[in-house]
Amino acid sequence: AQTVTQSQPEMSVQEAETVTLSCTYDTSESDYYLFWYKQPPSRQMILVIRQEAYKQQNATENRFSVNFQKAAKSFSLKISDSQLGDAAMYFCAYRSLLPTFGNEKLTFGTGTRLTIIP
Amino acid sequence: NAGVTQTPKFRILKIGQSMTLQCTQDMNHNYMYWYRQDPGMGLKLIYYSVGAGITDKGEVPNGYNVSRSTTEDFPLRLELAAPSQTSVYFCASSYSGRPNYGYTFGSGTRLTVV
């Protein structure tokens, strides 16, 4: 079974600065998807960014980008120009691509709480 | 477009009571899921369904039951509530033809068992 590890329970960053959240995962598969979800105080889970394992190019969505290191099984999230609205819990998640019953589900890490300091 | 709708948003149960958490989606997604979120523990999968009439257990199914009679609805039943079931519950859905889209989540139900 796959596991996802987020080793930073809490992080803080000054407004307008850059912060990187870490995520590592364990899998024996070669094809999969990785995601970062944001959960603000409203509790709503919001997809921030996704990465397909077969793509070497790191995904980017506006101020959010990832550093995907497939060999190291690492998938970090970089937030540039941090804003107060970025304050939230961030979850890393893994999804298998194997067409096997039960592989459709996401496996989540335990999350990183990000605080933005004004 | 409503997406994934969960009801209720909050609920307090007494030990031993039962209840059903409702979940409905209007995106014609074939996959649906129930997760629980405990503080500092991330999200744990309770049950999931790959289509009407097909369900299976996740990591933490004990004390819960599900059914999927239609594509749209995936209710979660709690029987004989226990304090250990105090948690935030999320329903989610996805489409098998778009695995890279991840999930669409409901807004969650905060359940307290006293």
Side-chain angles (χ1 to χ4, degrees), chain B residues 2-35:
Chain B
V4 178
T5 301
Q6 284 184 243
T7 56
K9 294 193 183 308
F10 303 93
R11 183 70 185 269
I12 298 175
L13 276 183
K14 293 185 178 179
I15 294 172
Q17 287 185 322
S18 300
M19 76 164 294
T20 298
L21 279 65
Q22 301 292 344
C23 176
T24 187
Q25 53 92 7
D26 62 357
M27 298 169 288
N28 204 31
H29 285 175
N30 49 345
Y31 295 162
M32 295 188 75
Y33 317 83
W34 276 104
Y35 283 84

PDB file of all heavy atoms in Angstrom, chain B residues 2-35:
ATOM      1  N   ALA B   2     -24.248  22.416  -8.294  1.00  0.00           N
ATOM      2  CA  ALA B   2     -24.071  22.302  -6.856  1.00  0.00           C
ATOM      3  C   ALA B   2     -22.803  21.548  -6.494  1.00  0.00           C
ATOM      4  O   ALA B   2     -22.239  21.759  -5.454  1.00  0.00           O
ATOM      5  CB  ALA B   2     -25.277  21.608  -6.236  1.00  0.00           C
ATOM      6  N   GLY B   3     -22.334  20.604  -7.325  1.00  0.00           N
ATOM      7  CA  GLY B   3     -21.151  19.820  -6.985  1.00  0.00           C
ATOM      8  C   GLY B   3     -21.528  18.690  -6.044  1.00  0.00           C
ATOM      9  O   GLY B   3     -22.419  17.896  -6.324  1.00  0.00           O
ATOM     10  N   VAL B   4     -20.850  18.621  -4.895  1.00  0.00           N
ATOM     11  CA  VAL B   4     -21.115  17.603  -3.879  1.00  0.00           C
ATOM     12  C   VAL B   4     -21.769  18.281  -2.683  1.00  0.00           C
ATOM     13  O   VAL B   4     -21.205  19.217  -2.127  1.00  0.00           O
ATOM     14  CB  VAL B   4     -19.830  16.882  -3.436  1.00  0.00           C
ATOM     15  CG1 VAL B   4     -20.150  15.872  -2.337  1.00  0.00           C
ATOM     16  CG2 VAL B   4     -19.164  16.209  -4.620  1.00  0.00           C
ATOM     17  N   THR B   5     -22.951  17.808  -2.328  1.00  0.00           N
ATOM     18  CA  THR B   5     -23.699  18.404  -1.228  1.00  0.00           C
ATOM     19  C   THR B   5     -23.810  17.422  -0.076  1.00  0.00           C
ATOM     20  O   THR B   5     -24.268  16.290  -0.259  1.00  0.00           O
ATOM     21  CB  THR B   5     -25.115  18.801  -1.695  1.00  0.00           C
ATOM     22  OG1 THR B   5     -25.003  19.727  -2.786  1.00  0.00           O
ATOM     23  CG2 THR B   5     -25.883  19.468  -0.555  1.00  0.00           C
ATOM     24  N   GLN B   6     -23.393  17.861   1.095  1.00  0.00           N
ATOM     25  CA  GLN B   6     -23.477  17.043   2.311  1.00  0.00           C
ATOM     26  C   GLN B   6     -24.435  17.680   3.297  1.00  0.00           C
ATOM     27  O   GLN B   6     -24.405  18.901   3.492  1.00  0.00           O
ATOM     28  CB  GLN B   6     -22.110  16.963   3.002  1.00  0.00           C
ATOM     29  CG  GLN B   6     -21.116  16.047   2.375  1.00  0.00           C
ATOM     30  CD  GLN B   6     -19.841  15.978   3.201  1.00  0.00           C
ATOM     31  OE1 GLN B   6     -18.776  16.358   2.723  1.00  0.00           O
ATOM     32  NE2 GLN B   6     -19.945  15.482   4.432  1.00  0.00           N
ATOM     33  N   THR B   7     -25.221  16.850   3.924  1.00  0.00           N
ATOM     34  CA  THR B   7     -26.065  17.310   5.021  1.00  0.00           C
ATOM     35  C   THR B   7     -26.077  16.275   6.122  1.00  0.00           C
ATOM     36  O   THR B   7     -25.961  15.063   5.841  1.00  0.00           O
ATOM     37  CB  THR B   7     -27.516  17.555   4.555  1.00  0.00           C
ATOM     38  OG1 THR B   7     -28.020  16.350   3.957  1.00  0.00           O
ATOM     39  CG2 THR B   7     -27.594  18.699   3.569  1.00  0.00           C
ATOM     40  N   PRO B   8     -26.167  16.691   7.405  1.00  0.00           N
ATOM     41  CA  PRO B   8     -26.130  18.086   7.873  1.00  0.00           C
ATOM     42  C   PRO B   8     -24.699  18.594   7.936  1.00  0.00           C
ATOM     43  O   PRO B   8     -23.756  17.848   7.699  1.00  0.00           O
ATOM     44  CB  PRO B   8     -26.717  17.959   9.276  1.00  0.00           C
ATOM     45  CG  PRO B   8     -26.245  16.612   9.739  1.00  0.00           C
ATOM     46  CD  PRO B   8     -26.282  15.731   8.517  1.00  0.00           C
ATOM     47  N   LYS B   9     -24.511  19.862   8.273  1.00  0.00           N
ATOM     48  CA  LYS B   9     -23.175  20.430   8.441  1.00  0.00           C
ATOM     49  C   LYS B   9     -22.648  20.181   9.838  1.00  0.00           C
ATOM     50  O   LYS B   9     -21.430  20.073  10.045  1.00  0.00           O
ATOM     51  CB  LYS B   9     -23.195  21.928   8.148  1.00  0.00           C
ATOM     52  CG  LYS B   9     -23.504  22.261   6.714  1.00  0.00           C
ATOM     53  CD  LYS B   9     -23.205  23.700   6.392  1.00  0.00           C
ATOM     54  CE  LYS B   9     -23.598  24.041   4.958  1.00  0.00           C
ATOM     55  NZ  LYS B   9     -23.034  23.111   3.972  1.00  0.00           N
ATOM     56  N   PHE B  10     -23.528  20.121  10.802  1.00  0.00           N
ATOM     57  CA  PHE B  10     -23.161  19.867  12.190  1.00  0.00           C
ATOM     58  C   PHE B  10     -24.191  18.927  12.809  1.00  0.00           C
ATOM     59  O   PHE B  10     -25.362  18.977  12.460  1.00  0.00           O
ATOM     60  CB  PHE B  10     -23.124  21.158  13.024  1.00  0.00           C
ATOM     61  CG  PHE B  10     -22.207  22.207  12.505  1.00  0.00           C
ATOM     62  CD1 PHE B  10     -22.664  23.189  11.644  1.00  0.00           C
ATOM     63  CD2 PHE B  10     -20.870  22.216  12.873  1.00  0.00           C
ATOM     64  CE1 PHE B  10     -21.808  24.165  11.158  1.00  0.00           C
ATOM     65  CE2 PHE B  10     -20.010  23.185  12.391  1.00  0.00           C
ATOM     66  CZ  PHE B  10     -20.486  24.152  11.536  1.00  0.00           C
ATOM     67  N   ARG B  11     -23.702  18.096  13.751  1.00  0.00           N
ATOM     68  CA  ARG B  11     -24.652  17.222  14.430  1.00  0.00           C
ATOM     69  C   ARG B  11     -24.010  16.767  15.738  1.00  0.00           C
ATOM     70  O   ARG B  11     -22.805  16.482  15.806  1.00  0.00           O
ATOM     71  CB  ARG B  11     -24.980  16.007  13.580  1.00  0.00           C
ATOM     72  CG  ARG B  11     -26.024  15.075  14.161  1.00  0.00           C
ATOM     73  CD  ARG B  11     -27.421  15.656  14.176  1.00  0.00           C
ATOM     74  NE  ARG B  11     -28.374  14.792  14.852  1.00  0.00           N
ATOM     75  CZ  ARG B  11     -29.095  13.855  14.258  1.00  0.00           C
ATOM     76  NH1 ARG B  11     -28.979  13.650  12.950  1.00  0.00           N
ATOM     77  NH2 ARG B  11     -29.923  13.118  14.952  1.00  0.00           N
ATOM     78  N   ILE B  12     -24.839  16.736  16.779  1.00  0.00           N
ATOM     79  CA  ILE B  12     -24.425  16.165  18.057  1.00  0.00           C
ATOM     80  C   ILE B  12     -25.272  14.922  18.307  1.00  0.00           C
ATOM     81  O   ILE B  12     -26.510  15.000  18.265  1.00  0.00           O
ATOM     82  CB  ILE B  12     -24.577  17.170  19.206  1.00  0.00           C
ATOM     83  CG1 ILE B  12     -23.682  18.388  18.967  1.00  0.00           C
ATOM     84  CG2 ILE B  12     -24.223  16.520  20.541  1.00  0.00           C
ATOM     85  CD1 ILE B  12     -23.853  19.499  19.975  1.00  0.00           C
ATOM     86  N   LEU B  13     -24.626  13.819  18.560  1.00  0.00           N
ATOM     87  CA  LEU B  13     -25.308  12.556  18.822  1.00  0.00           C
ATOM     88  C   LEU B  13     -24.997  12.082  20.236  1.00  0.00           C
ATOM     89  O   LEU B  13     -23.895  12.319  20.739  1.00  0.00           O
ATOM     90  CB  LEU B  13     -24.832  11.468  17.857  1.00  0.00           C
ATOM     91  CG  LEU B  13     -25.445  11.340  16.471  1.00  0.00           C
ATOM     92  CD1 LEU B  13     -24.846  10.136  15.767  1.00  0.00           C
ATOM     93  CD2 LEU B  13     -26.947  11.217  16.546  1.00  0.00           C
ATOM     94  N   LYS B  14     -25.911  11.381  20.817  1.00  0.00           N
ATOM     95  CA  LYS B  14     -25.633  10.721  22.086  1.00  0.00           C
ATOM     96  C   LYS B  14     -25.113   9.314  21.799  1.00  0.00           C
ATOM     97  O   LYS B  14     -25.428   8.707  20.763  1.00  0.00           O
ATOM     98  CB  LYS B  14     -26.891  10.660  22.936  1.00  0.00           C
ATOM     99  CG  LYS B  14     -27.365  12.036  23.399  1.00  0.00           C
ATOM    100  CD  LYS B  14     -28.547  11.923  24.340  1.00  0.00           C
ATOM    101  CE  LYS B  14     -28.972  13.305  24.822  1.00  0.00           C
ATOM    102  NZ  LYS B  14     -30.147  13.234  25.739  1.00  0.00           N
ATOM    103  N   ILE B  15     -24.317   8.822  22.713  1.00  0.00           N
ATOM    104  CA  ILE B  15     -23.771   7.470  22.574  1.00  0.00           C
ATOM    105  C   ILE B  15     -24.907   6.479  22.348  1.00  0.00           C
ATOM    106  O   ILE B  15     -25.915   6.502  23.056  1.00  0.00           O
ATOM    107  CB  ILE B  15     -22.954   7.088  23.816  1.00  0.00           C
ATOM    108  CG1 ILE B  15     -21.708   7.966  23.919  1.00  0.00           C
ATOM    109  CG2 ILE B  15     -22.553   5.618  23.775  1.00  0.00           C
ATOM    110  CD1 ILE B  15     -20.941   7.800  25.217  1.00  0.00           C
ATOM    111  N   GLY B  16     -24.745   5.638  21.348  1.00  0.00           N
ATOM    112  CA  GLY B  16     -25.739   4.612  21.058  1.00  0.00           C
ATOM    113  C   GLY B  16     -26.777   5.013  20.029  1.00  0.00           C
ATOM    114  O   GLY B  16     -27.495   4.142  19.501  1.00  0.00           O
ATOM    115  N   GLN B  17     -26.866   6.306  19.723  1.00  0.00           N
ATOM    116  CA  GLN B  17     -27.812   6.738  18.704  1.00  0.00           C
ATOM    117  C   GLN B  17     -27.275   6.404  17.310  1.00  0.00           C
ATOM    118  O   GLN B  17     -26.087   6.129  17.136  1.00  0.00           O
ATOM    119  CB  GLN B  17     -28.069   8.249  18.806  1.00  0.00           C
ATOM    120  CG  GLN B  17     -28.919   8.643  19.990  1.00  0.00           C
ATOM    121  CD  GLN B  17     -29.251  10.130  19.995  1.00  0.00           C
ATOM    122  OE1 GLN B  17     -28.433  10.979  19.636  1.00  0.00           O
ATOM    123  NE2 GLN B  17     -30.463  10.443  20.411  1.00  0.00           N
ATOM    124  N   SER B  18     -28.167   6.468  16.339  1.00  0.00           N
ATOM    125  CA  SER B  18     -27.787   6.215  14.952  1.00  0.00           C
ATOM    126  C   SER B  18     -28.164   7.428  14.109  1.00  0.00           C
ATOM    127  O   SER B  18     -29.022   8.218  14.494  1.00  0.00           O
ATOM    128  CB  SER B  18     -28.501   4.976  14.417  1.00  0.00           C
ATOM    129  OG  SER B  18     -28.165   3.832  15.172  1.00  0.00           O
ATOM    130  N   MET B  19     -27.487   7.566  12.989  1.00  0.00           N
ATOM    131  CA  MET B  19     -27.832   8.632  12.066  1.00  0.00           C
ATOM    132  C   MET B  19     -27.274   8.322  10.692  1.00  0.00           C
ATOM    133  O   MET B  19     -26.407   7.457  10.543  1.00  0.00           O
ATOM    134  CB  MET B  19     -27.293   9.981  12.549  1.00  0.00           C
ATOM    135  CG  MET B  19     -25.811  10.176  12.343  1.00  0.00           C
ATOM    136  SD  MET B  19     -25.288  11.903  12.483  1.00  0.00           S
ATOM    137  CE  MET B  19     -26.104  12.656  11.073  1.00  0.00           C
ATOM    138  N   THR B  20     -27.790   9.050   9.711  1.00  0.00           N
ATOM    139  CA  THR B  20     -27.311   8.922   8.334  1.00  0.00           C
ATOM    140  C   THR B  20     -26.805  10.263   7.857  1.00  0.00           C
ATOM    141  O   THR B  20     -27.504  11.274   7.961  1.00  0.00           O
ATOM    142  CB  THR B  20     -28.437   8.438   7.404  1.00  0.00           C
ATOM    143  OG1 THR B  20     -28.873   7.143   7.828  1.00  0.00           O
ATOM    144  CG2 THR B  20     -27.931   8.348   5.966  1.00  0.00           C
ATOM    145  N   LEU B  21     -25.585  10.278   7.355  1.00  0.00           N
ATOM    146  CA  LEU B  21     -25.023  11.450   6.713  1.00  0.00           C
ATOM    147  C   LEU B  21     -25.340  11.351   5.222  1.00  0.00           C
ATOM    148  O   LEU B  21     -25.039  10.340   4.582  1.00  0.00           O
ATOM    149  CB  LEU B  21     -23.507  11.519   6.908  1.00  0.00           C
ATOM    150  CG  LEU B  21     -22.982  12.059   8.232  1.00  0.00           C
ATOM    151  CD1 LEU B  21     -23.356  11.141   9.382  1.00  0.00           C
ATOM    152  CD2 LEU B  21     -21.468  12.222   8.177  1.00  0.00           C
ATOM    153  N   GLN B  22     -25.942  12.407   4.726  1.00  0.00           N
ATOM    154  CA  GLN B  22     -26.361  12.387   3.322  1.00  0.00           C
ATOM    155  C   GLN B  22     -25.290  13.006   2.429  1.00  0.00           C
ATOM    156  O   GLN B  22     -24.608  13.949   2.820  1.00  0.00           O
ATOM    157  CB  GLN B  22     -27.672  13.148   3.152  1.00  0.00           C
ATOM    158  CG  GLN B  22     -28.830  12.616   3.961  1.00  0.00           C
ATOM    159  CD  GLN B  22     -29.307  11.244   3.500  1.00  0.00           C
ATOM    160  OE1 GLN B  22     -28.979  10.781   2.401  1.00  0.00           O
ATOM    161  NE2 GLN B  22     -30.072  10.557   4.345  1.00  0.00           N
ATOM    162  N   CYS B  23     -25.160  12.446   1.238  1.00  0.00           N
ATOM    163  CA  CYS B  23     -24.233  12.977   0.246  1.00  0.00           C
ATOM    164  C   CYS B  23     -24.847  12.792  -1.134  1.00  0.00           C
ATOM    165  O   CYS B  23     -25.278  11.676  -1.481  1.00  0.00           O
ATOM    166  CB  CYS B  23     -22.889  12.269   0.318  1.00  0.00           C
ATOM    167  SG  CYS B  23     -21.726  12.800  -0.970  1.00  0.00           S
ATOM    168  N   THR B  24     -24.870  13.859  -1.907  1.00  0.00           N
ATOM    169  CA  THR B  24     -25.377  13.773  -3.271  1.00  0.00           C
ATOM    170  C   THR B  24     -24.511  14.636  -4.180  1.00  0.00           C
ATOM    171  O   THR B  24     -24.019  15.671  -3.771  1.00  0.00           O
ATOM    172  CB  THR B  24     -26.847  14.204  -3.337  1.00  0.00           C
ATOM    173  OG1 THR B  24     -27.367  13.950  -4.643  1.00  0.00           O
ATOM    174  CG2 THR B  24     -27.028  15.666  -2.992  1.00  0.00           C
ATOM    175  N   GLN B  25     -24.316  14.152  -5.403  1.00  0.00           N
ATOM    176  CA  GLN B  25     -23.532  14.912  -6.376  1.00  0.00           C
ATOM    177  C   GLN B  25     -24.297  14.965  -7.692  1.00  0.00           C
ATOM    178  O   GLN B  25     -25.019  14.022  -8.053  1.00  0.00           O
ATOM    179  CB  GLN B  25     -22.132  14.306  -6.553  1.00  0.00           C
ATOM    180  CG  GLN B  25     -22.084  12.832  -6.871  1.00  0.00           C
ATOM    181  CD  GLN B  25     -22.052  12.485  -8.343  1.00  0.00           C
ATOM    182  OE1 GLN B  25     -21.927  13.368  -9.220  1.00  0.00           O
ATOM    183  NE2 GLN B  25     -22.150  11.205  -8.656  1.00  0.00           N
ATOM    184  N   ASP B  26     -24.094  16.072  -8.402  1.00  0.00           N
ATOM    185  CA  ASP B  26     -24.841  16.280  -9.640  1.00  0.00           C
ATOM    186  C   ASP B  26     -23.915  16.365 -10.855  1.00  0.00           C
ATOM    187  O   ASP B  26     -24.259  16.982 -11.867  1.00  0.00           O
ATOM    188  CB  ASP B  26     -25.715  17.522  -9.528  1.00  0.00           C
ATOM    189  CG  ASP B  26     -24.897  18.797  -9.319  1.00  0.00           C
ATOM    190  OD1 ASP B  26     -23.654  18.704  -9.212  1.00  0.00           O
ATOM    191  OD2 ASP B  26     -25.491  19.880  -9.244  1.00  0.00           O
ATOM    192  N   MET B  27     -22.740  15.772 -10.752  1.00  0.00           N
ATOM    193  CA  MET B  27     -21.756  15.849 -11.822  1.00  0.00           C
ATOM    194  C   MET B  27     -21.659  14.546 -12.615  1.00  0.00           C
ATOM    195  O   MET B  27     -20.759  14.404 -13.450  1.00  0.00           O
ATOM    196  CB  MET B  27     -20.385  16.197 -11.215  1.00  0.00           C
ATOM    197  CG  MET B  27     -20.388  17.546 -10.521  1.00  0.00           C
ATOM    198  SD  MET B  27     -18.901  17.827  -9.534  1.00  0.00           S
ATOM    199  CE  MET B  27     -19.210  16.716  -8.178  1.00  0.00           C
ATOM    200  N   ASN B  28     -22.522  13.594 -12.307  1.00  0.00           N
ATOM    201  CA  ASN B  28     -22.521  12.294 -12.965  1.00  0.00           C
ATOM    202  C   ASN B  28     -21.199  11.552 -12.761  1.00  0.00           C
ATOM    203  O   ASN B  28     -20.748  10.797 -13.640  1.00  0.00           O
ATOM    204  CB  ASN B  28     -22.825  12.424 -14.465  1.00  0.00           C
ATOM    205  CG  ASN B  28     -23.389  11.136 -15.038  1.00  0.00           C
ATOM    206  OD1 ASN B  28     -24.068  10.372 -14.352  1.00  0.00           O
ATOM    207  ND2 ASN B  28     -23.069  10.866 -16.294  1.00  0.00           N
ATOM    208  N   HIS B  29     -20.570  11.798 -11.596  1.00  0.00           N
ATOM    209  CA  HIS B  29     -19.341  11.071 -11.260  1.00  0.00           C
ATOM    210  C   HIS B  29     -19.691   9.644 -10.868  1.00  0.00           C
ATOM    211  O   HIS B  29     -20.633   9.397 -10.120  1.00  0.00           O
ATOM    212  CB  HIS B  29     -18.624  11.757 -10.099  1.00  0.00           C
ATOM    213  CG  HIS B  29     -17.924  13.012 -10.503  1.00  0.00           C
ATOM    214  ND1 HIS B  29     -17.305  13.850  -9.586  1.00  0.00           N
ATOM    215  CD2 HIS B  29     -17.726  13.583 -11.705  1.00  0.00           C
ATOM    216  CE1 HIS B  29     -16.749  14.848 -10.215  1.00  0.00           C
ATOM    217  NE2 HIS B  29     -16.993  14.716 -11.509  1.00  0.00           N
ATOM    218  N   ASN B  30     -18.889   8.687 -11.344  1.00  0.00           N
ATOM    219  CA  ASN B  30     -19.173   7.303 -10.994  1.00  0.00           C
ATOM    220  C   ASN B  30     -18.529   6.900  -9.661  1.00  0.00           C
ATOM    221  O   ASN B  30     -19.013   5.994  -8.989  1.00  0.00           O
ATOM    222  CB  ASN B  30     -18.766   6.342 -12.114  1.00  0.00           C
ATOM    223  CG  ASN B  30     -17.359   6.603 -12.626  1.00  0.00           C
ATOM    224  OD1 ASN B  30     -16.748   7.638 -12.374  1.00  0.00           O
ATOM    225  ND2 ASN B  30     -16.820   5.640 -13.348  1.00  0.00           N
ATOM    226  N   TYR B  31     -17.456   7.571  -9.259  1.00  0.00           N
ATOM    227  CA  TYR B  31     -16.798   7.207  -8.005  1.00  0.00           C
ATOM    228  C   TYR B  31     -17.235   8.143  -6.895  1.00  0.00           C
ATOM    229  O   TYR B  31     -17.289   9.366  -7.092  1.00  0.00           O
ATOM    230  CB  TYR B  31     -15.282   7.312  -8.128  1.00  0.00           C
ATOM    231  CG  TYR B  31     -14.640   6.359  -9.092  1.00  0.00           C
ATOM    232  CD1 TYR B  31     -13.352   6.601  -9.554  1.00  0.00           C
ATOM    233  CD2 TYR B  31     -15.277   5.217  -9.532  1.00  0.00           C
ATOM    234  CE1 TYR B  31     -12.727   5.730 -10.436  1.00  0.00           C
ATOM    235  CE2 TYR B  31     -14.665   4.343 -10.411  1.00  0.00           C
ATOM    236  CZ  TYR B  31     -13.394   4.604 -10.865  1.00  0.00           C
ATOM    237  OH  TYR B  31     -12.775   3.741 -11.735  1.00  0.00           O
ATOM    238  N   MET B  32     -17.502   7.554  -5.731  1.00  0.00           N
ATOM    239  CA  MET B  32     -17.805   8.365  -4.552  1.00  0.00           C
ATOM    240  C   MET B  32     -17.117   7.773  -3.331  1.00  0.00           C
ATOM    241  O   MET B  32     -16.848   6.562  -3.278  1.00  0.00           O
ATOM    242  CB  MET B  32     -19.320   8.463  -4.329  1.00  0.00           C
ATOM    243  CG  MET B  32     -20.034   9.209  -5.461  1.00  0.00           C
ATOM    244  SD  MET B  32     -21.772   9.539  -5.146  1.00  0.00           S
ATOM    245  CE  MET B  32     -21.667  10.898  -3.966  1.00  0.00           C
ATOM    246  N   TYR B  33     -16.843   8.646  -2.344  1.00  0.00           N
ATOM    247  CA  TYR B  33     -16.017   8.260  -1.208  1.00  0.00           C
ATOM    248  C   TYR B  33     -16.525   8.918   0.064  1.00  0.00           C
ATOM    249  O   TYR B  33     -17.086  10.012   0.019  1.00  0.00           O
ATOM    250  CB  TYR B  33     -14.559   8.719  -1.399  1.00  0.00           C
ATOM    251  CG  TYR B  33     -13.994   8.503  -2.781  1.00  0.00           C
ATOM    252  CD1 TYR B  33     -14.233   9.416  -3.795  1.00  0.00           C
ATOM    253  CD2 TYR B  33     -13.199   7.393  -3.058  1.00  0.00           C
ATOM    254  CE1 TYR B  33     -13.703   9.230  -5.063  1.00  0.00           C
ATOM    255  CE2 TYR B  33     -12.664   7.209  -4.331  1.00  0.00           C
ATOM    256  CZ  TYR B  33     -12.931   8.132  -5.325  1.00  0.00           C
ATOM    257  OH  TYR B  33     -12.404   7.937  -6.574  1.00  0.00           O
ATOM    258  N   TRP B  34     -16.264   8.251   1.180  1.00  0.00           N
ATOM    259  CA  TRP B  34     -16.442   8.857   2.483  1.00  0.00           C
ATOM    260  C   TRP B  34     -15.113   8.796   3.236  1.00  0.00           C
ATOM    261  O   TRP B  34     -14.501   7.737   3.360  1.00  0.00           O
ATOM    262  CB  TRP B  34     -17.504   8.138   3.306  1.00  0.00           C
ATOM    263  CG  TRP B  34     -18.887   8.592   3.015  1.00  0.00           C
ATOM    264  CD1 TRP B  34     -19.846   7.956   2.280  1.00  0.00           C
ATOM    265  CD2 TRP B  34     -19.499   9.813   3.462  1.00  0.00           C
ATOM    266  NE1 TRP B  34     -21.001   8.686   2.239  1.00  0.00           N
ATOM    267  CE2 TRP B  34     -20.817   9.843   2.958  1.00  0.00           C
ATOM    268  CE3 TRP B  34     -19.061  10.883   4.248  1.00  0.00           C
ATOM    269  CZ2 TRP B  34     -21.700  10.879   3.213  1.00  0.00           C
ATOM    270  CZ3 TRP B  34     -19.930  11.923   4.497  1.00  0.00           C
ATOM    271  CH2 TRP B  34     -21.241  11.912   3.984  1.00  0.00           C
ATOM    272  N   TYR B  35     -14.703   9.974   3.742  1.00  0.00           N
ATOM    273  CA  TYR B  35     -13.504  10.081   4.552  1.00  0.00           C
ATOM    274  C   TYR B  35     -13.880  10.668   5.906  1.00  0.00           C
ATOM    275  O   TYR B  35     -14.838  11.424   6.020  1.00  0.00           O
ATOM    276  CB  TYR B  35     -12.479  11.019   3.910  1.00  0.00           C
ATOM    277  CG  TYR B  35     -11.703  10.438   2.757  1.00  0.00           C
ATOM    278  CD1 TYR B  35     -12.230  10.441   1.471  1.00  0.00           C
ATOM    279  CD2 TYR B  35     -10.432   9.912   2.950  1.00  0.00           C
ATOM    280  CE1 TYR B  35     -11.503   9.915   0.405  1.00  0.00           C
ATOM    281  CE2 TYR B  35      -9.700   9.388   1.894  1.00  0.00           C
ATOM    282  CZ  TYR B  35     -10.250   9.384   0.627  1.00  0.00           C
ATOM    283  OH  TYR B  35      -9.532   8.872  -0.428  1.00  0.00           O
TER     284      TYR B  35
END
